[in-house]
Amino acid sequence: MAIFTCLPSSLVLVSSLLVHNAICVPKLEGDPSPCRRGFLVNTLSGIVHNGSAIIVAAAFTCTADAADNDKDCVYDNDVAEGSMSMITVRTGTRMDTKTGFKMSLLSIESAARANTLGEIPMRLYPDPILRRIASPVKKFGPDLQKVADLLVAGMKSDATAASQYGIDARMIVLKGSANPASSSSSSNQKSSPPLILINPNILTRSSEYSMVQWREYCLVMDMNMDMKPNASAMPTHRHLEINLLRDEIVEVAAQDVTGRPVRKALSGEPARAFLHELDHINGILIVDHADLIELPADVAALEAPYHEERQRRAFDRDTYQGNTPLYW
């Protein structure tokens, strides 16, 4: 178990609301908890009471439930001024200030209970779950197939990862232009079944000198921070875009939803999309590929304490070394 103490550092303006910005430091050095890098109170989109900001000090505790292996992160809150019954977080979850906010990382079994992907909201930056390194899938069966079907049916782009929805599984789905089986023909893109990669590993990469520059955005990086003059108006949605480099070609080993081995050589858009989603299941975001000076000031302020290590991981070009099973 890891306990994180959040210390006040500044106030930032998000969606015309003052929200508390906190720096969270693990009390236990080297603790492997998936919550170790969370911007805890930063997941709140607005903390308001009678039109004024409320400062929240929080302790963050991570536990593992042995019954279903769900990992839970719990906020214990102490409202410094005023009182209120509920606080809204960016993912739409509600937090009771008396009992705290329980942020669960879904197991495959839990996610499979959903009828549609809409019941499992996409996590939005800076939700700390996006920094979670997803666990290998070790059990193949109907629940895994159900989660794969949910992702295929509900994904909002041609590529997605289970961890974008807070599901603890090393699972990537590529379809349309991101699917290597699809050609430039729109009819072939529609007819080709999605490529589902479970527990993917990179076996080989093309030379670093042949890396390709892309300009990427990410749906979880919804910079929903611009409000129109009318306070009741919906905020303007925009996605942060980053210039970055990706490998030209990668050879990938993975498993399908039944556990059978899969080998693919990816290039072009499928390679880019795969590497973007591989970042997600490794807790890496596109902001990690940029220098702080390239980021909006508010994002840079959030990232600064952790950016050097996160960028090192984003720039790593490691390949499978046999330290873990290639197929589970």
Side-chain angles (χ1 to χ4, degrees):
M1 179 182 296
I3 299 177
F4 292 73
T5 301
C6 295
L7 306 174
S9 62
S10 65
L11 291 173
V12 295
L13 185 62
V14 178
S15 299
S16 293
L17 298 175
L18 285 173
V19 302
H20 182 227
N21 181 16
I23 295 177
C24 304
V25 181
K27 288 185 175 180
L28 299 178
E29 290 295 331
D31 188 276
S33 164
C35 310
R36 64 189 181 278
R37 288 181 180 153
F39 293 113
L40 310 182
V41 184
N42 292 338
T43 58
L44 305 181
S45 64
I47 308 174
V48 261
H49 177 61
N50 294 332
S52 61
I54 291 179
I55 307 303
V56 176
F60 195 53
T61 305
C62 301
T63 62
D65 184 341
D68 62 5
N69 202 31
D70 276 359
K71 298 177 180 63
D72 298 327
C73 303
V74 181
Y75 292 111
D76 297 319
N77 300 281
D78 177 20
V79 180
E81 64 173 273
S83 62
M84 62 179 182
S85 59
M86 303 293 288
I87 297 175
T88 304
V89 296
R90 291 200 65 188
T91 57
T93 308
R94 304 290 283 180
M95 177 173 67
D96 189 320
T97 55
K98 293 182 179 179
T99 61
F101 168 53
K102 185 175 182 180
M103 181 179 59
S104 295
L105 190 61
L106 291 175
S107 65
I108 293 171
E109 293 75 15
S110 297
R113 299 184 193 123
N115 295 311
T116 68
L117 194 60
E119 297 175 21
I120 311 173
M122 179 180 285
R123 301 292 181 167
L124 297 178
Y125 179 86
D127 192 322
I129 274 187
L130 294 170
R131 293 301 188 174
R132 167 77 166 94
I133 299 176
S135 301
V137 175
K138 300 179 181 179
K139 183 179 179 180
F140 294 81
D143 286 337
L144 182 63
Q145 182 66 64
K146 174 70 177 298
V147 171
D149 292 343
L150 290 173
L151 290 172
V152 170
M155 56 195 290
K156 300 177 181 179
S157 65
D158 282 350
T160 197
S163 54
Q164 289 180 259
Y165 296 88
I167 302 171
D168 190 20
R170 297 187 70 80
M171 178 190 299
I172 291 172
V173 181
L174 304 177
K175 68 177 185 179
S177 63
N179 187 347
S182 301
S183 68
S184 57
S185 168
S186 59
S187 60
N188 283 345
Q189 287 184 10
K190 292 180 181 178
S191 61
S192 298
L195 176 62
I196 300 173
L197 300 172
I198 312 295
N199 302 327
N201 285 286
I202 294 179
L203 300 179
T204 62
R205 300 174 183 261
S206 54
S207 168
E208 186 171 8
Y209 295 104
S210 63
M211 294 183 78
V212 180
Q213 180 174 332
W214 298 86
R215 185 166 180 83
E216 293 187 5
Y217 72 92
C218 183
L219 294 179
V220 305
M221 299 295 302
D222 185 359
M223 300 291 98
N224 189 9
M225 299 181 182
D226 294 332
M227 290 292 289
K228 298 177 181 178
N230 180 0
S232 63
M234 290 298 292
T236 302
H237 289 266
R238 58 187 175 90
H239 294 98
L240 181 64
E241 296 185 0
I242 298 293
N243 290 321
L244 46 71
L245 296 173
R246 299 286 190 192
D247 292 304
E248 181 184 25
I249 302 171
V250 288
E251 182 186 2
V252 177
Q255 292 164 274
D256 66 14
V257 291
T258 68
R260 290 179 297 188
V262 174
R263 293 284 184 100
K264 293 289 181 181
L266 306 178
S267 61
E269 171 60 14
R272 184 210 64 78
F274 167 78
L275 291 166
H276 181 110
E277 303 308 329
L278 186 68
D279 277 354
H280 273 301
I281 63 176
N282 288 328
I284 297 169
L285 300 175
I286 58 172
V287 294
D288 303 331
H289 288 265
D291 290 331
L292 289 176
I293 196 171
E294 301 175 67
L295 302 176
D298 45 6
V299 176
L302 291 177
E303 293 296 319
Y306 313 97
H307 189 66
E308 183 177 355
E309 169 60 18
R310 287 173 172 172
Q311 188 174 76
R312 183 195 64 76
R313 293 183 60 237
F315 288 175
D316 275 348
R317 302 184 67 252
D318 54 337
T319 55
Y320 179 71
Q321 299 297 315
N323 299 325
T324 58
L326 184 58
Y327 304 115
W328 292 86

